Amino acid sequence: MKNQQRGLSLIELMVSLVILVVGLVGIFNLHLISKRGSFEAFQQTQAAYLANDIVNRMKLNRSELSSYAGTYSGVRTAVKSCETNICTTSETLSWDQYQWDQPLIGTSERVGSQNVGGLDSAIACITENAGAVSVTITWRGIRELSSSAKASSDCGHSLGKRRRVFALNTMIL
């Protein structure tokens, strides 16, 4: 008589489980990498939005253009609101600086007492020279980069290899 086996042996089952686990680990790692990339892209978009916001504020207050120059890191104190009050150009300058400085540290979104809506360790630098405006926003990214390329500005250079930079150069006439 012939002795025929039907079904799977234990070794075949173990091999198929190992192959399945290796595939699942690969998919899990791919998911993590895509989440990081998505978050980095979100931060880049947020920096672009903030840079465009301050440029538009500067265009609306051209007489104080050179006064917008400086470093911003979320430490400005509240000033007279120009949303409900009539403001002079210098009061509008202070209001614009305060309104723009706060989203850098994420005051628009809070969880408990912690700001979570901004960029991590954000520092912004604005320079102006005869209408040529440069807005540079730096922040700390999720992971270190392999090389620390010198940007056009030393703004936020203390962030090291995790430093991310968004720079916007424009003319305001």
Side-chain angles (χ1 to χ4, degrees):
M1 282 197 204
K2 287 186 174 180
N3 188 7
Q4 294 182 344
Q5 293 182 338
R6 301 199 190 275
L8 298 174
S9 70
L10 186 58
I11 292 175
E12 290 170 329
L13 183 65
M14 295 297 282
V15 169
S16 64
L17 282 175
V18 167
I19 292 171
L20 179 67
V21 167
V22 168
L24 289 175
V25 167
I27 290 172
F28 181 70
N29 285 336
L30 182 63
H31 178 71
L32 288 177
I33 290 169
S34 69
K35 293 277 281 184
R36 285 186 194 136
S38 176
F39 186 71
E40 293 273 354
F42 171 75
Q43 288 182 319
Q44 185 80 13
T45 301
Q46 195 170 17
Y49 169 78
L50 289 169
N52 283 311
D53 181 44
I54 195 63
V55 167
N56 288 329
R57 289 173 185 267
M58 293 168 80
K59 286 178 182 176
L60 293 173
N61 196 7
R62 284 186 177 94
S63 62
E64 297 286 335
L65 190 60
S66 62
S67 300
Y68 282 90
T71 302
Y72 298 79
S73 59
V75 295
R76 299 198 188 268
T77 57
V79 295
K80 176 183 173 184
S81 170
C82 291
E83 290 177 357
T84 56
N85 300 309
I86 296 174
C87 293
T88 65
T89 56
S90 62
E91 290 171 335
T92 301
L93 166 71
S94 297
W95 177 248
D96 285 348
Q97 289 173 324
Y98 172 73
Q99 283 289 101
W100 188 69
D101 195 39
Q102 294 305 296
L104 287 173
I105 59 168
T107 58
S108 58
E109 285 185 57
R110 297 176 67 86
V111 173
S113 62
Q114 185 177 6
N115 298 335
V116 295
L119 301 168
D120 185 16
S121 304
I123 300 170
C125 304
I126 299 174
T127 59
E128 187 275 334
N129 184 14
V133 175
S134 176
V135 179
T136 305
I137 301 174
T138 61
W139 68 95
R140 181 171 298 142
I142 294 176
R143 57 181 164 64
E144 286 188 4
L145 297 175
S146 58
S147 66
S148 181
K150 262 292 211 203
S152 60
S153 166
D154 281 336
C155 183
H157 204 65
S158 62
L159 296 174
K161 287 190 173 188
R162 288 177 55 189
R163 175 180 181 230
R164 303 295 189 271
V165 179
F166 181 87
L168 175 67
N169 298 310
T170 190
M171 279 300 279
I172 299 177
L173 303 173

